[in-house]
């Protein structure tokens, strides 16, 4: 079956007692067992069945099974946010005195996790340009826990060569862990390029309408200890499992993900091409533009679509603020891949507490506005951007 069909028709682990076509919400904490032996077998992992909703829940399991069927992963674990997914994936591989080879081009909280939280626990960040394979090769040593990256960085929109990074990682015996939120896992097979573990903020495309927070760790099983530590250590001890209500909402989102994403990606390309003709915009960054430096690599790795995030650069921070203040249709809000189009000035918000020197090192500019493209008519979106820029659309 094609992926859109799989997203809708992956069967339940157990048939619903009432034959419900939509996944039921099991909004409960405890599960009853037939006898003491069954209870012991389930708690000791000799029999697969839910024992306590902080660790397993049928509604959440259904979402995990659908994602597993779509990706071909060995294991999928759902968490209560994208940051929880990243944290658990990294905690499954790190230990005191070891290091993570990664980039400065990371989402602000991810960088703070690696350079702050994990550093206080004795895990050292090695921040390198991941497009410089020689630098990566030199950075990975016997104390490296993993190479970690975002497949399309936010907001720099940098794309690294996953196959080349995987070759380095595997030759050194470490996993390649990738945040793949920007391009849905329905669009490409990153495991074929050597990615061992995907982490996804399901708050984004899966949630669809910005309804719920969630995260996924998609583990392809090439490093078995990762799933062992997540399932039998971190999931139990940290308590970051997804709630059944969120799993229900995101299962509904998964069923329509393919058609929503196709529209959003097409609209993003239309806007990027149209805005590239506008003289009052200093630059448009979108990996789907043919003159983008990462276009060919992105097409090879991700297929014909290029996601629903783009950035525009104006002359100054003040001009960015003025443009944002004049928007009428597009919402001033954070989040990505909502059904609504969202605009934000990353340097003053997501990265607002970082020193200016660090922003420069991260290539986060004061002149950049990030756009997350939704499901509105793209001509209406373009008209709103142009009026906010106080530009006559006929001159662009």
């Amino acid at each position: 079956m094609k992926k859109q069909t799989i997203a809708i028709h992956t069967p339940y682990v157990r048939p619903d007692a009432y034959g419900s076509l939509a996944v039921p919400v099991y909004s409960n904490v405890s599960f009853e067992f037939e006898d003491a032996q069954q209870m012991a077998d389930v708690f000791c992992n000799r029999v697969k069945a839910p024992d306590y909703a902080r660790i397993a829940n049928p509604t959440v399991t259904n979402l995990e099974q659908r994602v597993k069927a779509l990706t071909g992963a060995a294991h999928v674990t759902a968490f209560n946010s994208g940051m929880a997914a990243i944290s658990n994936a990294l905690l499954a591989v790190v230990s005191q005195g070891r290091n993570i080879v990664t980039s400065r081009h990371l989402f602000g909280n991810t960088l703070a996790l690696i350079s702050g939280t994990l550093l206080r626990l004795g895990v050292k960040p090695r921040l390198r340009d991941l497009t410089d394979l020689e630098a990566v090769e030199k950075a990975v040593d016997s104390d490296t826990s993993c190479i970690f990256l975002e497949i399309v960085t936010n907001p720099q929109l940098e794309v690294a060569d996953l196959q080349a990074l995987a070759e380095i990682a595997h030759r050194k015996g470490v996993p390649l862990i990738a945040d793949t939120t920007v391009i849905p896992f329905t669009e490409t097979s990153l495991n074929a390029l050597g990615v061992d573990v995907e982490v996804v903020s399901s708050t984004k495309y899966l949630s669809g309408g910005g309804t719920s927070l969630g995260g996924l760790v998609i583990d392809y099983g090439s490093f078995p200890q990762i799933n062992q530590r997540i399932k039998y250590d971190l999931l139990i001890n940290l308590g970051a499992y997804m709630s059944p209500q969120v799993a229900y909402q995101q299962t509904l989102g998964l069923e329509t993900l393919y058609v929503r994403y196709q529209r959003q990606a097409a609209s993003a390309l239309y806007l990027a091409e149209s805005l590239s003709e506008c003289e009052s915009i200093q630059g448009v960054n979108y990996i789907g533009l043919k003159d983008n430096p990462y276009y060919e690599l992105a097409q090879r790795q991700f297929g014909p679509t290029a996601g629903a995030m783009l950035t525009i650069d104006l002359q100054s921070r003040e001009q960015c603020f003025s443009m944002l203040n004049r928007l009428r249709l597009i919402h001033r809000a954070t989040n990505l891949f909502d059904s609504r189009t969202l605009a934000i000035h990353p340097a003053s918000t997501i990265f607002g507490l970082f020193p200016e020197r660090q922003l420069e090192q991260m290539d986060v500019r004061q002149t950049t506005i990030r756009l997350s493209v939704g499901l509105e008519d793209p001509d209406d979106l373009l008209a709103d951007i142009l009026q906010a820029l106080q530009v006559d659309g006929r001159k662009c």
Side-chain angles (χ1 to χ4, degrees), residues 137-154:
E137 180 86 38
K138 291 178 180 177
V140 179
D141 61 17
S142 59
D143 289 327
T144 298
S145 296
C146 67
I147 298 175
F148 176 83
L149 78 159
E150 296 170 5
I151 60 168
V152 181
T153 65
N154 171 16

Side-chain angles (χ1 to χ4, degrees), residues 341-356:
T341 298
L342 311 176
I344 195 168
H345 181 254
S348 64
T349 54
I350 300 168
F351 299 88
L353 297 179
F354 286 77
E356 187 63 35

Side-chain angles (χ1 to χ4, degrees), residues 124-173:
K124 301 172 185 176
R126 289 191 175 171
L127 305 177
R128 300 292 188 271
D129 176 358
L130 297 188
T131 66
D132 182 346
L133 297 177
E134 185 176 348
V136 175
E137 180 86 38
K138 291 178 180 177
V140 179
D141 61 17
S142 59
D143 289 327
T144 298
S145 296
C146 67
I147 298 175
F148 176 83
L149 78 159
E150 296 170 5
I151 60 168
V152 181
T153 65
N154 171 16
Q156 302 88 353
L157 296 170
E158 174 186 277
V159 180
D161 188 328
L162 296 173
Q163 209 159 13
L165 290 174
E167 193 279 326
I168 295 171
H170 296 161
R171 183 159 32 83
K172 300 292 183 86

Side-chain angles (χ1 to χ4, degrees), residues 71-75 89 93 145-149 151 162 165-171 173-180 189-199 217-227 230:
T71 59
H75 313 283
V93 298
S145 296
C146 67
I147 298 175
F148 176 83
L149 78 159
I151 60 168
L162 296 173
L165 290 174
E167 193 279 326
I168 295 171
H170 296 161
R171 183 159 32 83
V174 300
L176 179 64
I177 302 177
D179 183 333
T180 64
S189 177
L190 296 185
N191 182 235
L193 299 176
V195 173
D196 300 295
V197 176
E198 295 186 47
V199 291
V217 173
I218 303 171
D219 178 3
Y220 292 99
S222 43
F223 290 81
Q225 72 274 17
I226 294 176
N227 182 63
I230 287 177

Side-chain angles (χ1 to χ4, degrees), residues 204-358:
K204 310 304 190 290
Y205 287 119
L206 264 72
S207 173
T211 61
S212 53
L213 289 167
L216 300 168
V217 173
I218 303 171
D219 178 3
Y220 292 99
S222 43
F223 290 81
Q225 72 274 17
I226 294 176
N227 182 63
Q228 291 291 314
R229 289 173 183 164
I230 287 177
K231 290 289 189 183
Y232 305 121
D233 177 1
L234 302 172
L235 191 63
I236 296 170
N237 295 334
L238 298 184
Y241 197 47
M242 181 180 282
S243 74
Q245 291 80 9
V246 166
Y248 172 76
Q249 291 173 304
Q250 298 197 352
T251 298
L252 295 181
L254 184 62
E255 292 182 352
T256 61
L257 170 59
Y258 179 81
V259 291
R260 287 187 290 104
Y261 172 72
Q262 296 299 321
R263 171 61 181 265
Q264 288 174 280
S267 294
L269 177 60
Y270 173 79
L271 287 176
E273 290 175 338
S274 301
L275 294 172
S276 294
E277 302 297 320
C278 190
E279 293 182 359
S280 64
I281 294 176
Q282 304 300 301
V284 177
N285 192 4
Y286 180 64
I287 61 171
L289 292 174
K290 291 183 179 179
D291 61 354
N292 186 280
Y294 300 112
Y295 174 78
E296 291 185 5
L297 178 60
Q299 293 280 302
R300 189 167 71 247
Q301 294 187 155
F302 313 135
T305 60
M309 176 174 66
L310 65 134
T311 65
I312 61 173
D313 273 88
L314 304 180
Q315 291 182 344
S316 65
R317 172 184 169 123
E318 292 71 28
Q319 190 176 16
C320 289
F321 276 40
S322 296
M323 182 265 189
L324 287 170
N325 290 342
R326 285 191 290 264
L327 289 171
R328 298 171 182 167
L329 174 65
I330 296 170
H331 295 274
R332 293 174 292 274
T334 192
N335 197 18
L336 288 170
F337 318 133
D338 195 310
S339 298
R340 306 159 191 81
T341 298
L342 311 176
I344 195 168
H345 181 254
S348 64
T349 54
I350 300 168
F351 299 88
L353 297 179
F354 286 77
E356 187 63 35
R357 178 179 174 82
Q358 192 170 0

